[in-house]
Amino acid sequence: MEKRNHAAADAEAEAAESIDLFEYLILRIKEVGVQSIHGVPGDFNLTALDYISKCGLRWIGNCNELNAGYAADGYARVNGISALMTIMGVGELSALNALAGSYAEYIPVIHIVCMPSRRAQADRLCLHHTFGDGDFGVFQKLSAAVSCMTAVLDCPHRAAGLIDEAVRTCWVRRRPVCLFVPADMIRGSVFSGGRLERGLDLRGPGNDAEVQRRVVETIMGELRRARSPVVLVGGYAVRHHLQDEVLGLVKALAVPVLVSASGRGIVDESHPLYSGLYVGNCSEPQVLGLMQSTDLVVSIGNIQSDLGTAGFSGQVSSNDMVDLQMNRICVRGELYPNINVKPLLQTLIARVESSYLSPRCSWDTEVSVVSSSRHPKTSQHCWFKRLLKPEPIQHDWLWPMMGSWLRDDDVILAEAGTASFGIWKTQFRAGTIFIAQYLWASIGFTVGACQGASLAVQDSVNSHRRTILFVGDGSLQVACQELSTILRYGLAPIIFVICNNGYTIERLIHGPENEYNDIQPWKYRRLPAVFGAQSAQYRSHQVHTKRQLQRLLNRKSFSDCSRLQV
Amino acid sequence: MEKRNHAAADAEAEAAESIDLFEYLILRIKEVGVQSIHGVPGDFNLTALDYISKCGLRWIGNCNELNAGYAADGYARVNGISALMTIMGVGELSALNALAGSYAEYIPVIHIVCMPSRRAQADRLCLHHTFGDGDFGVFQKLSAAVSCMTAVLDCPHRAAGLIDEAVRTCWVRRRPVCLFVPADMIRGSVFSGGRLERGLDLRGPGNDAEVQRRVVETIMGELRRARSPVVLVGGYAVRHHLQDEVLGLVKALAVPVLVSASGRGIVDESHPLYSGLYVGNCSEPQVLGLMQSTDLVVSIGNIQSDLGTAGFSGQVSSNDMVDLQMNRICVRGELYPNINVKPLLQTLIARVESSYLSPRCSWDTEVSVVSSSRHPKTSQHCWFKRLLKPEPIQHDWLWPMMGSWLRDDDVILAEAGTASFGIWKTQFRAGTIFIAQYLWASIGFTVGACQGASLAVQDSVNSHRRTILFVGDGSLQVACQELSTILRYGLAPIIFVICNNGYTIERLIHGPENEYNDIQPWKYRRLPAVFGAQSAQYRSHQVHTKRQLQRLLNRKSFSDCSRLQV
């Protein structure tokens, strides 16, 4: 009797702590700050979509899954994390390139793939969206290659724990995770065990105190010995949220700070210590001079990729570097693995502040020289220079000029190619979020990402921010239909379409006159109307000359963002 | 001295038999009948593109890689085989869903992925389009999952042999193969060893004579015992080019022949023995009657998938079936593996023709009944029926009516969903090529495939054929930019856009009123103009009523295909 009562009480407790799987999942996604979920509806995920609005989130239906993946990436770069929903096979594989980009560039996207029911899988049914061979696991292996964790939520008792682990892993490791949900589990009860009340633990891993002390002292020794150190900030510092640590270290050391192409946004480019963009031999002369005369580069979250260094030009040797990556440190070539950089940096800053090191006045003069000549007139010797050939609107005029039009807190996207290289000449204002793929470099990415980024702005407390996209015509054609999604959800980015009649970067590499670098000439201005825009919903403009462009930029109605502008 | 002369002669012979790798590859692709190669240009494949026109082939630049993959699939379904070019990582992964569809549905596509040079790979450089970790092999594993063979062409001595093996494997196994070409190998000399002169051996594998004899006799025994056999033709019979064998067997047996949803095209639907479309319980009553009364189904290249059987309704038991798959035979549940169906069928036909079996007169009356009522007025009890609700243009009126507008040799594409189910009510004319994905069912597929199919028609001796696409508005939005490619290359398909304001099939499954099944309303008629069409290059029409549609179809200027019509 006693026993039976216990069992009944257990069952009751379990029922009280039960919740529909998808509701649990959405509540966890909401908890980490996602307000809108991107994706494409499909047969296996339809019942799941009902939970999104039920939990107070918004469903954003993109035109296709690749673009939805790009949008989720853009949303995460502004919002910190995002979620994407597809269906097994067709949808999941269509999004794979977008997720590979998120994986390469450390963008946390929670990818939810709905799949056929557990019964259909167990019976190995010949279902659509499969190879017809009863194998439902083949696609998981593909998604696993672009995820830092995957899990199949097919067990009511394990589901809640796996969801927690996945969301936490995505947040901490800053890379996509992929959750597979059989259709019959969407509404299935899972045992939550009071987890929701406790909340997720999102703290990153700490370090062994003794190991960390030793590494900090090694770095301190290098800093003491260095005559003219500089700090170099890379893209992973942005994406791993090291803003406070980077600014803290720069302030404590008071040394010049350079940023890489993808590292822009953390350090205000009008900050006295900000000393320019380091992009290999394409850097400005004073930046090159700084890099040539330094005897120690403290590199935070930077990788020296070909696109970020103008083809590996002027790479910094590991012997001249304290290289701080997310979970490993390398001091002048000596590797310290399994060290987490965030707590290490916090300790290092405290150590610098309490030591004789701070501030390094020796740099003051030179720094002020650097910061007063941030708009140079000379261009560098690199293949990129070939972009700057005379045209009605010339690139070497356009990009420096755009800087004066930008505002604090703009969200700026530059498509890989003409725009991502051109924008090296544009000065950003404080609080800028900069979105570009200098590693994955997938053409069309920024069109989808622009939708996601402007939505994340709309979802945020800073909803007044502008979202500005610079994209070439060839890239716009890849993912053009997301203009439709932008219109559908009332988003208002400003989109500059740079019409150079084809694949310009490809022309510079090979085949300048070849037909394969041509594209079909579109009427870009009329795209919004075809995609169903009401006339009040958008404005489109076409400029051929410098004067026309400047007049447009000076117009208040253009520069303030109440509707889509192309 | 003697030795040295030999070595010199060898070197000379090798030089004489040397050829640039990419030229060799393109010549082999040309040899199997490909005249146009689809793809998107990218940094690693630009020098490769030069070889295409040099060898007399045509480069077709699509707007993105997924659509290029769809187009290559469509081209192969008309032409027999096709080729696709992308670059490693971004391009390759974007195309993956299209290639998975080709893999699932047995479409031979030669996928060529250009990648960084061997040196860059050996040095594990941090290049764009990678994860930045020096691993260039990670993507090959993903492409391998959707290919029946992959090879990296990094050795001058092995390259020609690998190319031959890949092209042959693609042709014989009717599934994608993937060739990876390092950038420095594109122009590299490979040793051809006189292979080009000898030509490729494209014959499929034969069977062991004794095993084949035994299987044929087993089947003959079943045919002798059967009172009322029928032949059922599936999609793989079309894609493995079993047309002659299927028609030969049907003629020899003189029994009713049914086709599956994807098996249409081989048997002329006005042939006296043609007895209708078998789509499970969605079949017409006389087809169901035939299937209920038969005691033996000779099934050729058919799989009983959910979409092809209206959700596994009326599946044929393996005990009632001689199931002829491409390389295995199953007679009433008894499996004979590793038998190739083509030579087996040829032997079987000869055996039937020389035996008492032929012709089976007992069926004559019933067959004539079936063929005289091929346009039934009653509709079936299945969920598909819900599509046929009253609308200005009703589906149950539209689809049977369209049959009278079709012509011999039309190439017809039906997008998965409304169109692919609706078209079950449309009678096809002789020589039709029918393109639809009843297994992979990727939304947007037919838009790209339409470009590829109409190009294959243009490349063929039957260039007068019409290419006709039926697609819903939601699906068109997925891949809309390929209208631009259609215009760019002067193709002239007739495209029917069925505007039902969203994802109709999804609405029928779940959420009929839910916003997530809505799409942004576009101005479809204006799409060609925005995509750069001159007014003489296209016509667009909008019809709301039956009368309007019939008037349009009766217009000669509409039905004859000299330009794109939407």
Side-chain angles (χ1 to χ4, degrees), chain B residues 386-397:
Chain B
R386 294 165 61 193
L387 268 176
L388 315 181
K389 65 185 188 295
E391 280 178 6
I393 294 176
Q394 295 164 24
H395 284 283
D396 59 357
W397 171 84

Side-chain angles (χ1 to χ4, degrees), chain A residues 498-511:
Chain A
I498 302 157
C499 292
N500 36 28
N501 294 319
Y503 302 111
T504 305
I505 289 299
E506 279 71 20
R507 275 193 225 280
L508 294 179
I509 299 171
H510 186 78

